[in-house]
Amino acid sequence: MRTILIEPTENPKVIKFVADYNLIPGSLELDRDSDISEIPLAQELFNYPFVERIFITANFVAVAKQDTVEWEHVAESLKNVIEDELLANPRIYLQKKKEMIEIYAEMTPNPNAMKFVSSKMLMDGFVEVKSRNEAEGVPLAQAIFTEFDFAKEVFISDNFVAVTRDNSVEWHQVMMAVRGYIAEYLQSGGVISNIESQKHENPVEKIINRDYTDDEQKISDILNEYVAPAVENDGGKISLMEYDAANKTAKMLLQGACSGCPSSTATLKGGIENILKQFVPELVEHVEAVNG
């Protein structure tokens, strides 16, 4: 509860309610025609019909009354109102509720990588930080590396952050700490990335600086439609890196949780290779992985 002192003024129609801290920078002078939609304290005080004007500055609220009442009958009630309102909105104006950001953790097929999913979008596209030395320009990754010695890689995409650990810890030991740290960082408005994110549509173009051939585009379209959603759901990213037409071999770039995942090879051979052989048998007979 805020402590409020009642002080008389030289004007018998005006009394001061003095707080133990500065309420606002500058001052406010309000009457019943003023816009008080963002000032709950004024709204409550003007509920009293005898209150004519309100003046707020420094550490006090001054109230001017009509002659129909005496201060000795109403001052204590106004003091209680002011104490309650300052408790709810210490800086006078209505406090905006912060957007609550929920974070939950998901395992990925890579036992070393954990996916932390946010209730809000983090970026349009993705950013991959493969080591501490590459974290410049990505404040969220820098913060994670600084806070957690075991963090090896950070992959940020759409609404999640995938963190890859080293062998010094197990996820059950640190998962809650990482989740809480990321949630607090985002809740406080921390910057996610200062560098341009790569786009999902064709990330390989940035890597090897070339356009797809017609055959490569056919393969990429199948990946995007039938494979990419499941891979991204596991905290990873898969793209066509290179296509060897002579050997009918498609080389895939694996990023995020998929990079270095022990099950990625089996996934490629057992799933993705079969899908491509089914849809474009004239183009693909083999699939190989390239860790990003």
Side-chain angles (χ1 to χ4, degrees), residues 35 123 197 256:
D35 180 6
M123 64 172 54
S197 61

Side-chain angles (χ1 to χ4, degrees), residues 48-81:
Y48 291 85
F50 58 82
V51 173
E52 288 188 333
R53 300 182 69 82
I54 302 168
F55 184 74
I56 307 171
T57 188
N59 67 330
F60 67 85
V61 178
V63 177
K65 69 173 181 64
Q66 297 175 349
D67 293 330
T68 54
V69 297
E70 299 297 330
W71 282 124
E72 62 186 33
H73 299 142
V74 298
E76 197 66 31
S77 294
L78 296 185
K79 173 190 172 186
N80 292 337
V81 168

Side-chain angles (χ1 to χ4, degrees), residues 2-26:
R2 296 289 183 181
T3 300
I4 299 295
L5 300 178
I6 301 175
E7 291 186 3
T9 69
E10 294 182 1
N11 185 342
K13 293 182 62 174
V14 178
I15 198 169
K16 288 168 60 176
F17 299 88
V18 183
D20 55 0
Y21 70 100
N22 282 339
L23 304 176
I24 57 170

